[in-house]
Amino acid sequence: MSTEDSGSYLSRLADNTEARQLEVAAELGEHALEVLSDWQNWPNELLLLVTDMAEALHDVRRVAISRGHRLPPTDPAAYEGGTSDRLT
């Protein structure tokens, strides 16, 4: 199965999964601010929060890499420092 066709079932499934992963990451970011403001509950809450955020960061990175691989090739010289915008 391929995700090349943006209207394919697999592509839509990937898009929906990625959108949910990004939502979870945003929710965790908001929760982090709440936890950090309530310092009395730090030990237990921080451990859970850091674990959840590490998982979300892993998912968001996977989304970025996946999206990057779908971008058309670019000329690395077109970017400052000669690097490409593609994630590897």
Side-chain angles (χ1 to χ4, degrees):
M1 295 180 86
S2 172
T3 59
E4 295 299 315
D5 176 11
S6 63
S8 71
Y9 171 77
L10 185 57
S11 182
R12 290 191 316 271
L13 179 63
D15 288 345
N16 290 337
T17 300
E18 291 169 353
R20 181 62 191 136
Q21 289 170 332
L22 293 173
E23 287 174 19
V24 167
E27 291 168 6
L28 281 170
E30 291 175 16
H31 182 63
L33 294 175
E34 293 171 10
V35 168
L36 293 173
S37 70
D38 185 14
W39 60 269
Q40 293 175 341
N41 290 320
W42 275 18
N44 296 328
E45 284 292 317
L46 279 179
L47 178 60
L48 178 61
L49 177 63
V50 168
T51 301
D52 290 345
M53 290 185 82
E55 291 172 2
L57 181 59
H58 174 78
D59 290 342
V60 168
R61 182 177 181 273
R62 185 174 47 213
V63 169
I65 290 169
S66 173
R67 294 290 180 179
H69 285 289
R70 290 190 244 169
L71 294 173
T74 58
D75 177 11
Y79 297 91
E80 185 177 333
T83 61
S84 172
D85 63 342
R86 291 181 57 95
L87 298 172
T88 57

